[in-house]
Amino acid sequence: LSISKKLVELMNGQIGVTSKVDKGSTFWFEIPTEEVDTNATTVELPDLTGISVLSVEDHPQGAKEIMNSLRSMGATVESCPTYKEGLELAKARPFDVAVIDQGLPDGLGLDLIKDIMKIRPSTGMVMYTVRDDIGLSHSLKALGANYLTKPASRAGLGEAVKNTARRFSTINMEGPRKLLIAEDTDSVVEILRRQLDKLGVDATFVSNGNEALRALES
């Protein structure tokens, strides 16, 4: 409270407390401010014009902030609160990017990302969650999805969406079309297989390093 008092006084304000026995205390402060344009910003925001985004977020205020932020940067956004609705929207039409929370009322965002990637391998994925989980981060990295922790700034969210969309829109298959892939996670193998089939790439999958070496020799 002494730190709060100093901060408030530095801003030419006042701080105080009212207290009643067996009732509790109310701490208050007042500081003078100036009204400013809510659209004013000194941050250069990314241009998301032409990028379509699916947002799956069950918290009403959070969903509203995501939608308004991305739309203000030019993106078209469809929002829904549940795993089921998100999957149905992804089946109905393709999106450039999906922004998905981990804790949904009817399932996990990670599982939804896997399901959407099976049917829409060209959709970029951003996990936007309050969870700071190294294991979850590694799982998303293995899937090729971005990991963004809440709360991110409007610019931070926009950059994550823009970078994800750019990465998936600039896939160039002018190079080799025969690949050897060593991967021991079945769900990742299935997603890669579907993606590469759509791109016309002939891929051989093995599950460990020894098998990879034997495959190279043959």
Side-chain angles (χ1 to χ4, degrees), residues 5-218:
K5 182 175 184 292
K6 290 176 183 177
L7 288 172
V8 169
E9 289 174 349
L10 282 170
M11 292 185 282
N12 299 316
Q14 293 180 313
I15 187 169
V17 59
T18 58
S19 185
K20 292 183 181 180
V21 177
D22 296 328
K23 295 292 184 180
S25 303
T26 300
F27 294 87
W28 59 268
F29 72 90
E30 294 179 349
I31 57 172
T33 63
E34 292 182 14
E35 183 177 0
V36 297
D37 182 355
T38 55
N39 293 319
T41 177
T42 57
V43 178
E44 186 174 343
L45 296 172
D47 182 7
L48 304 183
T49 303
I51 296 176
S52 60
V53 179
L54 169 62
S55 172
V56 186
E57 167 63 61
D58 65 317
H59 190 282
Q61 186 60 34
K64 183 179 180 181
E65 289 175 2
I66 292 170
M67 190 161 54
N68 289 344
S69 293
L70 296 179
R71 284 178 176 174
S72 73
M73 290 177 265
T76 57
V77 186
E78 286 197 42
S79 180
C80 65
T82 67
Y83 186 121
K84 182 180 179 181
E85 290 172 276
L87 189 57
E88 290 302 315
L89 281 171
K91 288 178 180 178
R93 73 177 187 87
F95 292 87
D96 296 311
V97 178
V99 178
I100 298 173
D101 188 15
Q102 169 68 344
L104 299 173
D106 55 344
L108 295 177
L110 179 61
D111 293 331
L112 178 56
I113 284 175
K114 292 177 181 178
D115 283 346
I116 293 177
M117 291 181 78
K118 290 177 183 178
I119 57 176
R120 299 291 184 187
S122 61
T123 296
M125 295 292 169
V126 177
M127 170 69 77
Y128 188 35
T129 177
V130 295
R131 290 186 58 185
D132 188 6
D133 186 323
I134 190 68
L136 179 61
S137 175
H138 285 317
S139 296
L140 291 164
K141 187 176 181 180
L143 293 171
N146 284 340
Y147 183 60
L148 187 65
T149 55
K150 296 178 181 177
S153 66
R154 187 157 58 126
L157 177 60
E159 286 295 343
V161 168
K162 184 176 182 178
N163 291 339
T164 301
R166 182 191 297 125
R167 182 157 55 87
F168 275 80
S169 64
T170 56
I171 293 175
N172 189 331
M173 289 311 301
E174 294 179 357
R177 289 182 172 268
K178 297 190 72 173
L179 303 179
L180 170 62
I181 299 177
E183 172 59 61
D184 64 349
T185 304
D186 291 341
S187 60
V188 176
V189 169
E190 181 61 25
I191 290 168
L192 287 172
R193 194 187 302 277
R194 289 171 181 265
Q195 291 174 331
L196 295 172
D197 284 347
K198 288 179 180 291
L199 292 171
V201 175
D202 180 17
T204 297
F205 289 89
V206 296
S207 61
N208 59 57
N210 286 329
E211 291 180 7
L213 291 173
R214 287 196 292 270
L216 283 172
E217 290 173 355
S218 64

